[in-house]
DNA sequence: GACGCGTGGAC
DNA sequence: TGTCCAAGCGT
């Protein structure tokens, strides 16, 4: 392997140019308006493998409901999952909750302030410990996420490789350009965020915007760096049942709670699934697309009748009736949440709910 | 080291 | 319609 390192004498220039660019172009994101370590922590966990837009929809609501580590620790896990509903990777929410309980019980409710200590908490790995330590506490430690890796490989011209040697190389490069701690500013935290911001807004996976790049002069590849093609998407049709009943003045909808030992979304609520061959003759009440990793689900929702109820794969006792008024407090799967919102059975943000009497859907 | 774990928006 | 994702972690 040729020596692809950024010349070390250029590191200071690189830092300066990047810092100036970041000061001018940083997006105004809510977790950049605070130094509260808890809020930084929540944002970093939410941002794991998740787009900024999706996080924005959940971040404020999560912090309104759980404004402190202690309030999070004291909450039932189902409440935490309910607020997390739609963000995906629900294990993150469970681990965040567990970590908050540990911090409350063992650490006097205070989040550790070093990457080494943070690294020991559930859900906080190599990246997240460095991100919190640098952004919230000013520790001089480099973060390496997908953005930083892509940026550094392109800058140095080293090809993409999923080897430990390549990982080592990227980590070394990142460490070589991260600034020292200095009083009065947060140079390490700002630098780390700048590296990620560059990857997220300029050095895009496909079609990087090299003409706008502040560190074009430092780059060995300038748009010629290849990114691997990915696996093809699959498509699948699935059907779900919408079944409602009245109990007094309340309306209830029938849901299925996934087994608590399921590997996928354990303990979360979804609409009852119907076998596709049971719905051939029916017209769906609702169609939505739902994509999970490698699969586009083309989802159809059917309003219940006797025949459809007989087609259910489980005994009727295995389902649960849930009041419409409490749906928003349940740990719903993202799909269930999307469907129930689309049908106006739970409030979308900013939408006033109609009165219960008018809510029964056909 | 490879794999499983979710999502909705942009195009 | 189908494609491509995004600031990882734990096992």
């Amino acid at each position: 392997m040729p020596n692809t390192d950024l010349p070390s004498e250029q590191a200071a220039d690189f830092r300066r140019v990047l810092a100036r660019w970041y000061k001018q172009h940083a997006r105004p994101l809510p977790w950049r308006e605070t130094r509260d370590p808890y809020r930084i922590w929540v944002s970093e966990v939410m941002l794991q493998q998740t787009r900024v837009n999706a996080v924005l929809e959940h971040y404020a609501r999560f912090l309104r409901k759980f404004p402190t580590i202690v309030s999070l620790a004291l909450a039932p896990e189902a409440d935490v999952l309910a607020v997390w509903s739609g963000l995906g990777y629900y294990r993150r929410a469970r681990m965040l909750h567990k970590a908050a309980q540990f911090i409350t019980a063992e650490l006097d409710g205070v989040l550790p302030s070093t990457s080494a200590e943070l690294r020991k908490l559930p859900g906080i790995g190599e990246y997240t410990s460095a991100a919190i330590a640098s952004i919230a506490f000013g520790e001089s430690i480099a973060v390496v996420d997908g953005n930083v890796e892509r940026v550094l490989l392109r800058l140095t011209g080293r090809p993409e490789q999923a080897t430990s040697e390549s990982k080592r190389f990227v980590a070394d490069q990142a460490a070589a350009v991260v600034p020292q701690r200095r009083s009065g500013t947060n140079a390490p935290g700002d630098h780390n965020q700048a590296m990620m911001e560059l990857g997220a807004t300029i050095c895009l996976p496909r079609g990087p915007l090299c003409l706008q790049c502040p560190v074009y002069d430092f780059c060995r590849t300038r748009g010629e760096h290849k990114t691997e093609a990915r696996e093809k998407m699959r498509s699948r049709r699935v059907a779900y049942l919408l079944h409602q009943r009245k109990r007094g003045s309340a309306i209830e909808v029938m849901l299925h709670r996934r087994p608590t030992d399921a590997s996928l979304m354990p303990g979360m609520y979804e609409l009852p699934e119907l076998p596709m061959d049971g719905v051939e003759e029916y017209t769906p009440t609702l169609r939505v697309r739902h994509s999970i990793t490698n699969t586009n689900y083309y989802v159809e929702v059917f309003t219940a009748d006797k025949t459809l109820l007989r087609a259910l794969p489980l005994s009727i006792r295995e389902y649960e009736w849930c009041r419409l008024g409490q749906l928003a407090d349940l740990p719903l799967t993202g799909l269930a949440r999307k469907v129930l919102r689309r049908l106006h059975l739970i409030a979308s943000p900013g939408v006033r709910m109609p009165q219960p009497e008018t809510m029964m859907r056909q």
Side-chain angles (χ1 to χ4, degrees), chain A residues 62-250:
Chain A
F62 187 97
L63 289 172
R64 209 178 314 130
K65 182 116 181 164
F66 312 114
T68 63
I69 294 179
V70 176
S71 65
L72 177 60
L74 292 176
E77 186 183 84
D79 288 9
V80 182
L81 290 172
V83 176
W84 206 270
S85 171
L87 259 187
Y89 288 136
Y90 297 99
R91 198 175 46 176
R92 293 181 295 174
R94 297 177 206 276
M95 291 188 294
L96 185 64
H97 186 222
K98 285 261 188 303
Q101 292 180 330
F102 175 81
I103 292 167
T104 299
E106 307 290 337
L107 305 178
D108 293 331
V110 179
L111 189 68
S113 61
T114 65
S115 56
E117 291 299 311
L118 288 162
R119 180 72 178 78
K120 298 176 184 169
L121 296 170
I124 299 187
E126 200 67 43
Y127 162 79
T128 306
S129 59
I132 299 171
S134 64
I135 296 168
F137 299 109
E139 182 175 324
S140 176
I141 183 170
V143 300
V144 179
D145 73 334
N147 287 310
V148 173
E149 180 177 4
R150 184 174 61 255
V151 166
L152 289 172
L153 290 177
R154 285 174 173 172
L155 277 166
T156 58
R158 186 182 167 114
E160 255 190 285
Q161 287 175 304
T163 63
S164 57
E165 200 194 356
S166 176
K167 259 182 76 109
R168 184 73 254 163
F169 171 82
V170 171
D172 289 346
Q173 294 297 312
V177 292
V178 75
Q180 291 302 304
R181 184 199 285 271
R182 246 185 312 183
S183 64
T185 63
N186 185 358
D190 289 346
H191 171 85
N192 281 332
Q193 293 195 78
M195 290 288 286
M196 295 190 280
E197 190 80 350
L198 186 67
T201 62
I202 303 286
C203 198
L204 305 171
R206 325 254 162 200
L209 309 174
C210 296
L211 295 181
Q212 302 172 45
C213 181
V215 293
Y216 182 86
D217 289 347
F218 298 84
C219 187
R220 296 246 175 115
T221 59
R222 301 180 175 178
E224 297 305 311
H225 198 267
K226 301 270 181 281
T227 36
E228 304 289 329
R230 34 188 42 257
E231 224 179 311
K232 278 227 305 199
M233 296 286 289
R234 309 241 169 271
S235 295
R236 197 152 89 80
R237 288 180 65 200
V238 287
Y240 289 93
L241 182 75
L242 176 67
H243 189 27
Q244 295 172 90
R245 73 177 186 189
K246 271 191 101 164
R247 274 294 178 274
S249 66

